[in-house]
Amino acid sequence: MMASGMPVFLLLLWTTNTPQGAGVQVLPPVNFTLTVSALAQVLLHWEPNPAQEQNNSTIRYDVKILSPEPEEYDTSRTHSVRTVALHNGFSARVRTLLLQGHLQMSSDWVEANLPPLPGAAETSVTNLSCVTHVTIPGNVSLRCTWLPGRGAPEDTKYFLFYRYEMHTEECPAYTKDRWSRNTECRFSSTQIEPGEIDNLIVIHINGSSKRAAIKPFQQLFNQNAIEKVNIPRNISISLEQSDLLAVWEKPISPFHEECFEYQFCLINLKSGNKQTLRISSRSFRLRVDVSSRYSIRIRAKHTPVCRAPGLWSDWSQILYVGQNKPESSTAWILTLLCVSTSCTLLLVAIICQINHVWSKLFPPIPMPSNKFREPFPIDYERARTCPSSTETEVVSLAEGFSCSVLDDSVF
Ligand SMILES: *[C@@H]1O[C@H](CO)[C@@H](O)[C@H](O)[C@H]1NC(C)=O
Ligand SMILES: *[C@@H]1O[C@H](CO)[C@@H](O)[C@H](O)[C@H]1NC(C)=O
Ligand SMILES: *[C@@H]1O[C@H](CO)[C@@H](O)[C@H](O)[C@H]1NC(C)=O
C-alpha cells in the first residue's frame, strides 16, 4: 500500500524553485485526477507534461497531500494510491522535478480535490471503536460499537462495512439501541489474516433516514492495535514449600511465545493484599505466606517487540491455592498470652502446694480469734497459708515477678 516514498531530506534539497536553471523549463504535470478506488482509498493519477523537454535529465514527481493528513513524498511513477478516511474530503498537489547532474529544478504545483461525502452536520456516527479476536486458529472475528450522531433523527439506520485489502463486506448482525438504531456490529468471521503485521482495517459507516441525509464516516484501524488477545491456556498453580508455582500456555495465536507478556493478579484472601505482576515468561515462582489462601488470575497481551501491542485479553477464570491457617500475628499474641497465663497459674499452684505441705509439717499454733491481735503475726500467717483467696495470688504473682527478674539478671 505504502507507495514509493523517499526520505524527506531529499525533498528539502529540492524545495527551492529554480524553473529557469540551466536554461531548461520545468512544466507541471497534466490531467491530475483523484479517483476513489475502494472504501477509504484514493488513486492519484497524472500525466507527464507533453511539452516537457528532457535532454539527459531525470524526471520525478513531488506529491504533497494537504488534507485530511498532511504528507509529502516523491515518486518516479505517474500514479499513487493512498488509504485514508475520505468522509471530510481529500486534497493533494503534484509538481514535476527535473534532476540534471547536481541541479534539481521543480515546476509549479497542480492541485486536485475530492469534496467531503454529502450529509447533514452531526449525523455521522461518533465514538467508533473496534476489536478483533482470533477465535479458532485462522479465523478472526470483528466487533465494532459506536454512538449515533447528535443530529441523527430517530429513524436513522446505520450500515457498517469493513474493507481488508480488496475485500469489502457489510455487517451481517447488528445490535440496536432503544430507538432501534444500529449501534453495534459483529462479524463472527472475516477475511482478516491473523498473522499479518500492521495491515489496515477500514471501517465505513453510512446510513439512511427519511428526515435527513446521513453523512458517512470512515476510520482506519491498525490490525494489531485493536486485536484483543485470547486468554492464556492450561494454567496450573501449586504450592511448593513456601513458593507459589504457576505455569501456563500462550493464548491461541499465530504468534510465537516471545510475542506475549502476562499480567498476574494475586490476592491474599486472608489479609486482602493484592499484588499485580508483569511477567514475560510462561511460568513463575513467588515466595508466599503458606498460611494464607490465594486467588489468582492471569491475562495476556502482545509485546511491542513483535507488533503493535493491542489490547489485554480477558482475565482467566479465578484459581485458588492454599488454606487459611490461624497463624497471623494476633493469633501469635493470643497464644503467647494463653501460655504465660497458664504458666503463672501453674506456678501459683506449685507455690501453694509447697506452702500447704510446709504448713502441714509445721502447723501453726492455733490462736483464739481475737479482734485486737497485733498486725505482724497475721501477715506472717497469711503468707504461710494458702486459702483460695485472691490476696495469695497477688503475692505469688509478685514472687513470680521477682523470680523472673532474678532469672533475667542471672542470664
Ligand atoms: C488529458 O486529458 C484530456 C481530456 O481527457 C486528453 O484529451 C489529453 O490527451 C490528456 N493528456 C494526456 C497527456 O494524457
Ligand atoms: C465519546 O467521545 C467523546 C470525545 O472523544 C468523549 O468526550 C465522550 O466521553 C465519549 N462518549 C462516550 C459515551 O464514550
Ligand atoms: C453505504 O455504503 C455502501 C458501500 O460504499 C454502499 O454500497 C451503499 O449504497 C451505501 N448506502 C447508503 C444508504 O448510502
Side-chain angles (χ1 to χ4, degrees), residues 154-172:
E154 283 179 20
D155 73 336
T156 302
K157 224 167 147 38
Y158 287 115
F159 308 102
L160 181 144
F161 298 77
Y162 88 91
R163 178 172 73 79
Y164 185 76
E165 295 176 336
M166 288 323 289
H167 179 84
T168 302
E169 191 178 332
E170 193 193 341
C171 180

Side-chain angles (χ1 to χ4, degrees), residues 18 41-42 62 68 155 165 176 204 264 283 294 349 372 406:
T18 55
Q41 181 178 286
V42 58
D62 197 2
D155 73 336
E165 295 176 336
K176 299 172 189 306
H204 170 89
F264 195 88
S283 67
Y294 288 89
F372 306 100
L406 187 72

Side-chain angles (χ1 to χ4, degrees), residues 4 7 31 39 51 95 113 153 176 212 216 282 351 392 405:
S4 55
N31 293 3
L39 286 181
R95 66 179 176 183
N113 302 296
K176 299 172 189 306
R282 284 187 302 103
I351 288 165
T392 324
V405 166

Side-chain angles (χ1 to χ4, degrees), residues 254-327:
F255 286 88
H256 288 289
E257 269 166 22
E258 309 82 69
C259 294
F260 292 91
E261 65 173 323
Y262 303 92
Q263 204 172 36
F264 195 88
C265 176
L266 184 77
I267 299 173
N268 181 325
L269 296 173
K270 195 154 79 182
S271 66
N273 277 348
K274 186 176 165 180
Q275 260 179 299
T276 307
L277 303 145
R278 252 174 135 134
I279 300 156
S280 53
S281 63
R282 284 187 302 103
S283 67
F284 166 68
R285 184 183 274 273
L286 180 75
R287 176 132 297 197
V288 292
D289 169 14
V290 284
S291 70
S292 299
R293 187 164 162 80
Y294 288 89
S295 81
I296 290 128
R297 293 191 302 173
I298 303 174
R299 61 180 182 173
K301 189 182 181 176
H302 284 123
T303 56
V305 178
C306 291
R307 54 197 298 199
L311 311 167
W312 281 108
S313 72
D314 285 328
W315 285 104
S316 68
Q317 276 192 316
I318 298 176
L319 296 164
Y320 296 93
V321 71
Q323 291 297 327
N324 277 343
K325 291 180 198 130
E327 273 182 53

